[in-house]
Amino acid sequence: AWLMRTLKSYGLSNVHSESFAIHGWQRGPAQLNIAGHTLDCIGLPGTPPCDVTAPLVFAGDGEPADFAAVKSKLKGAIALVRGAGSHRLEKYFRAVNAGCVGFIFGGSEPGALPPTGSIEFGGTPAPIPGVGVSFETSQRLQRMRQNTPIDARLRIKARLSDSTGLNVIA
């Protein structure tokens, strides 16, 4: 409404809005539990809600060679990748294509801030849940699973819904 009023005040004609359907997403709380520890995380935009427990598999920087090195362990697992290298979505879809049931994206810079960014592709819901964790949490996860396999539990309360967007035309 503000934009339409402003455009009209500039003297533009035929000012109106046109609606379009979009896939909506609303972030809710996210939890990552490992070996009795609850670690800070944030649901990546577009992640579906979940309550999933699976083995945690570290896939390095999430590059093709990193995924190939742990290929036999990925089906049914939660993949942990570092943020360095290729784009987050490329790493995410490598996890999806490997048969993972969850995705943890570790920050690449110190500072205790979890990375975020959409895991939706082509306007469709994300196929597996994903969270971002800080560089420090990612490092801790790598140390925790160094000597023994461990399970991770992801609990995400997010809401997916059909929604409507508006384009303003003048």
Side-chain angles (χ1 to χ4, degrees):
W2 172 85
L3 182 56
M4 290 194 306
R5 282 192 312 272
T6 301
L7 293 174
K8 285 178 185 176
S9 76
Y10 291 161
L12 296 173
S13 61
N14 194 24
V15 178
H16 64 283
S17 65
E18 294 178 358
S19 63
F20 59 93
I22 62 169
H23 174 72
W25 178 78
Q26 184 175 13
R27 178 178 278 134
Q31 284 187 332
L32 172 59
N33 300 95
I34 298 183
H37 301 277
T38 299
L39 305 173
D40 290 335
C41 67
I42 187 170
L44 296 174
T47 189
C50 72
D51 187 347
V52 62
T53 301
L56 179 67
V57 175
F58 179 54
D61 289 331
E63 300 302 326
D66 297 321
F67 271 91
V70 292
K71 182 179 180 178
S72 65
K73 299 176 185 177
L74 289 170
K75 188 167 181 69
I78 297 172
L80 167 64
V81 301
R82 290 186 292 242
S86 61
H87 192 273
R88 167 192 67 260
L89 273 178
E90 293 178 62
K91 298 167 193 272
Y92 175 76
F93 278 102
R94 287 182 193 118
V96 170
N97 291 334
C100 292
V101 297
F103 178 75
I104 301 173
F105 183 58
S108 58
E109 298 293 330
L113 294 173
T116 188
S118 178
I119 54 175
E120 289 183 301
F121 189 77
T124 60
I128 64 173
V131 296
V133 299
S134 69
F135 173 83
E136 292 81 4
T137 298
S138 176
Q139 295 293 306
R140 182 177 181 191
L141 290 170
Q142 291 170 55
R143 288 190 306 271
M144 289 173 79
R145 60 151 305 281
Q146 231 170 16
N147 297 321
T148 182
I150 58 173
D151 284 348
R153 181 179 184 190
L154 279 177
R155 287 186 288 182
I156 303 170
K157 293 184 179 179
R159 199 174 102 220
L160 303 170
S161 61
D162 292 330
S163 196
T164 302
L166 292 173
N167 283 324
V168 175
I169 312 293

